Amino acid sequence: MSSIVLGMGNGAVMFGDRDASNVPDDDLIQLVNPAAVNISAFDLSVLRGDGIFEATTVFKGFPISLENHLHRLSDSARLMDLPTPNIAAITRG
């Protein structure tokens, strides 16, 4: 059985140079209803079309090839002149 799960991360932590070690797990990422309206009117992906996207398969609760996906995410951010992803925070989230 497959399902779609959407997680929305805390952009200030996930794409900043802020130390995430003192940020509670619940503040890193939230699971949201993928059929609901979840985007802020201030989101630059909505206002200007800025954005990068990465998806992965999760098997028994663990993402497959997470490190490879995060490297691609970092490369995409660099190519688009977007903030560098905080890999440690994203992995923890």
Side-chain angles (χ1 to χ4, degrees):
M1 170 187 258
S2 65
S3 61
I4 296 174
V5 177
L6 178 61
M8 293 184 66
N10 179 335
V13 176
M14 299 288 190
F15 288 91
D17 55 5
R18 186 174 152 195
D19 178 21
S21 62
N22 60 349
V23 176
D25 287 347
D26 290 343
D27 290 341
L28 288 175
I29 193 167
Q30 295 178 3
L31 298 180
V32 296
N33 180 351
V37 177
N38 296 298
I39 298 176
S40 164
F42 300 105
D43 190 321
L44 293 180
S45 65
V46 174
L47 296 175
R48 298 191 316 210
D50 292 351
I52 53 175
F53 306 90
E54 188 65 39
T56 186
T57 299
V58 176
F59 182 71
K60 294 186 178 184
F62 294 96
I64 305 299
S65 300
L66 180 62
E67 186 175 320
N68 291 334
H69 288 281
L70 295 178
H71 283 295
R72 276 195 299 274
L73 186 71
S74 292
D75 287 342
S76 296
R78 181 182 50 76
L79 291 170
M80 296 282 298
D81 291 326
L82 294 173
T84 302
N86 183 333
I87 300 299
I90 294 173
T91 301
R92 203 174 118 219

